[in-house]
Amino acid sequence: MDLFRKIILVGDHGVGKSSLKVRLDTNLLFDLGHEVEKTSLQLEQMDDQDFFLGILELLREESLEVIVNKYYASNEYFLFMYSVDSPDSFLKMLELYNHISKLKKGRNFKMVLMANKTDLCKKNERKVSKKKGQCLARKLKCPYYEISVKTGAGVDSSFVDMIHHFIISKNKQRHQDIVEDFKNLFHRQELTDCCFETKSGEKIRAHKLILESRLAPCKIKTIQELLLTATHESAMAFLEWAYTGYTHPSKNALITSMCEKISVQFKSLSGVTSVLKNLRNLYRHDSSKDFTLRVKKKSIKVHKLILVARSELFRGFFLSMDKSTKSVKDHSKNSIETMKSLIRFFYTNRLHGNKTKHFMNEIENSIEYFQLNMKSSLSSQLPTPKQNKRCQIM
């Protein structure tokens, strides 16, 4: 599926906004009285989707203030640009940020801060230091990039990283809890059942279920042979990507190369979408489930490792009980429907079915009972009742 996103380019006159658009793509898709220009930029496929960016430059003329403000108020993504040889353009950043924040009326928006004309540094014409730019970026809680539109330095790399911040990170944030849960599972290494040795002789423990479900049809032996030729840092980056679907853009080439050696596709396995797809497959197949939850004389089969990754309560259960234990009774007052919905949520990160609202109170209590670290994701999917009477969890 293709996605189109608009990024509004804001900054003072003469900082290089128009030159940046020309460098990215000289084709203007439309021109609204020469005041709003839009450049289309197609990026490589990421997270199973092709992304198209519309780079909009809005001229802040008094006669167009109403139109410009409507664009500011409705858009979600912004690129703030100043010139390193112009202190006034740097000061303008905070003014523009406050103006857009006011128009947003409390609604969140994403932005990056970009310093242009870094080629002037060699000529000692720079008047805004890198430290000042980084300080402002920290204040505005956004990424900071330095580029030279004239020479092209930093343009490509900053845009790739920016897209991950704008687009990919949005998908990641939507499922941030599941990404963090499996990242933590890898680094905690609880209930690990396989071990890899790197080129330097260092050992890394992991979980066979996660790796074989994510990297199928690749088997553990093949992964062991791969990591035996890798550095410890490369092996850690590869395994963390296998667990979460994410890695820093600077590691993409490395992991792509490692994937090719074991005949798996980096692009098709990247992103939270691919992780959820693998988890859904695990949820559907009872054959590999190794644990049973008993709820009111009924049983639900699960993967112990998935519950360990996603639930603090179940993690405590499994780490304190004997390893030979194959079942446990749920001591909460939840109905079988609530438990089935929650277990499915552990795998899919979604609440399913129209009946959810009928046992919503039980689910809300179960957020605290089972999943403190998933409260935000689960709560966002619950319908809001007119009257919310919570039931007591023992």
Side-chain angles (χ1 to χ4, degrees):
M1 183 176 71
D2 296 342
L3 291 180
F4 183 83
R5 292 290 185 269
K6 293 182 294 183
I7 296 179
I8 293 185
L9 186 56
V10 296
D12 213 352
H13 295 291
V15 300
K17 301 190 299 297
S18 298
S19 298
L20 176 63
K21 294 198 288 91
V22 170
R23 176 169 282 280
L24 293 172
D25 190 338
T26 57
N27 297 319
L28 299 181
L29 294 186
F30 67 82
D31 189 330
L32 180 59
H34 300 287
E35 282 78 36
V36 181
E37 294 182 342
K38 184 176 185 178
T39 300
S40 173
L41 174 66
Q42 182 176 5
L43 299 149
E44 63 177 290
Q45 191 183 66
M46 291 181 285
D47 201 15
D48 298 329
Q49 294 172 317
D50 286 314
F51 294 110
F52 295 82
L53 298 185
I55 315 297
L56 281 72
E57 178 187 1
L58 309 181
L59 301 186
R60 298 194 67 201
E61 296 180 7
E62 192 172 333
S63 60
L64 299 166
E65 186 174 358
V66 174
I67 296 176
V68 170
N69 285 344
K70 283 184 178 180
Y71 271 90
Y72 284 160
S74 62
N75 202 59
E76 186 178 355
Y77 308 103
F78 294 85
L79 194 166
F80 285 66
M81 178 183 280
Y82 70 91
S83 174
V84 297
D85 69 338
S86 172
D88 288 341
S89 70
F90 177 71
L91 295 174
K92 193 78 171 179
M93 295 294 92
L94 193 56
E95 179 186 326
L96 286 167
Y97 175 82
N98 291 334
H99 177 67
I100 293 172
S101 296
K102 185 177 180 180
L103 292 171
K104 287 288 185 181
K105 297 179 180 179
R107 299 192 304 276
N108 292 331
F109 62 93
K110 288 182 175 291
M111 63 169 287
V112 298
L113 182 63
M114 195 169 282
N116 187 27
K117 302 187 182 181
T118 54
D119 54 285
L120 298 178
C121 297
K122 298 178 182 179
K123 303 177 183 179
N124 297 320
E125 295 179 22
R126 181 167 188 157
K127 296 179 182 178
V128 182
S129 67
K130 182 176 181 178
K131 187 176 180 180
K132 284 185 176 180
Q134 291 173 329
C135 183
L136 179 60
R138 283 194 297 270
K139 182 177 181 179
L140 301 180
K141 298 179 180 180
C142 70
Y144 171 76
Y145 307 106
E146 291 206 335
I147 67 167
S148 170
V149 174
K150 182 178 180 180
T151 65
V155 174
D156 291 344
S157 60
S158 64
F159 262 80
V160 170
D161 198 64
M162 181 180 72
I163 298 315
H164 276 264
H165 173 68
F166 278 160
I167 313 289
I168 302 299
S169 64
K170 183 174 182 179
N171 229 11
K172 183 177 178 180
Q173 286 173 359
R174 190 180 299 127
H175 299 287
Q176 185 66 40
D177 51 7
I178 203 166
V179 173
E180 289 300 319
D181 284 342
F182 283 96
K183 181 178 179 180
N184 291 337
L185 178 69
F186 170 59
H187 288 286
R188 276 195 305 261
Q189 301 191 344
E190 296 163 345
L191 298 181
T192 54
D193 53 4
C194 60
C195 185
F196 303 105
E197 188 174 327
T198 63
K199 185 166 61 175
S200 60
E202 295 178 87
K203 294 184 178 180
I204 306 172
R205 297 197 60 82
H207 305 87
K208 184 178 179 181
L209 175 71
I210 301 298
L211 295 178
E212 288 196 337
S213 65
R214 285 278 291 138
L215 303 176
C218 188
K219 298 298 182 183
I220 290 297
K221 185 178 179 180
T222 308
I223 301 172
Q224 286 175 329
E225 293 172 353
L226 170 71
L227 298 186
L228 197 56
T229 64
T231 64
H232 181 74
E233 182 183 1
S234 298
M236 290 290 286
F238 176 81
L239 290 173
E240 186 173 299
W241 165 79
Y243 274 69
T244 67
Y246 285 95
T247 186
H248 192 273
S250 62
K251 297 283 198 327
N252 284 357
L254 168 68
I255 296 177
T256 300
S257 175
M258 295 177 74
C259 286
E260 289 173 352
K261 293 178 181 178
I262 57 174
S263 301
V264 297
Q265 294 185 343
F266 169 71
K267 287 184 179 180
S268 64
L269 291 175
S270 291
V272 72
T273 305
S274 66
V275 174
L276 291 171
K277 181 180 178 181
N278 294 131
L279 289 172
R280 283 196 297 270
N281 289 336
L282 283 177
Y283 176 77
R284 293 189 186 108
H285 293 92
D286 285 344
S287 59
S288 61
K289 292 178 180 177
D290 57 358
F291 203 80
T292 302
L293 288 175
R294 299 195 308 276
V295 184
K296 300 186 186 302
K297 298 181 180 181
K298 295 187 179 181
S299 298
I300 305 174
K301 297 195 72 176
V302 297
H303 295 92
K304 182 191 294 186
L305 189 59
I306 303 301
L307 269 59
V308 166
R310 304 231 63 202
S311 167
E312 295 288 349
L313 181 77
F314 284 120
R315 185 178 304 121
F317 277 163
F318 295 138
L319 296 181
S320 62
M321 67 175 58
D322 189 283
K323 291 185 178 179
S324 61
T325 305
K326 296 295 183 182
S327 66
V328 69
K329 184 177 181 181
D330 172 38
H331 292 287
S332 71
K333 293 183 178 180
N334 291 327
S335 63
I336 185 67
E337 290 85 1
T338 298
M339 282 304 300
K340 283 183 177 179
S341 183
L342 284 170
I343 295 301
R344 192 172 183 184
F345 177 80
F346 291 165
Y347 284 83
T348 66
N349 222 42
R350 288 182 58 195
L351 291 174
H352 297 261
N354 298 325
K355 294 183 179 180
T356 300
K357 60 183 178 182
H358 297 303
F359 47 90
M360 182 193 67
N361 294 329
E362 290 183 17
I363 292 179
E364 283 193 319
N365 283 307
S366 296
I367 296 172
E368 297 179 5
Y369 187 74
F370 290 107
Q371 292 296 130
L372 293 177
N373 59 321
M374 290 164 54
K375 186 173 182 179
S376 175
S377 178
L378 190 52
S379 296
S380 65
Q381 299 184 54
L382 292 172
T384 303
K386 295 181 179 179
Q387 293 183 340
N388 186 8
K389 298 179 181 180
R390 297 172 67 88
C391 64
Q392 183 66 32
I393 292 289
M394 298 299 291

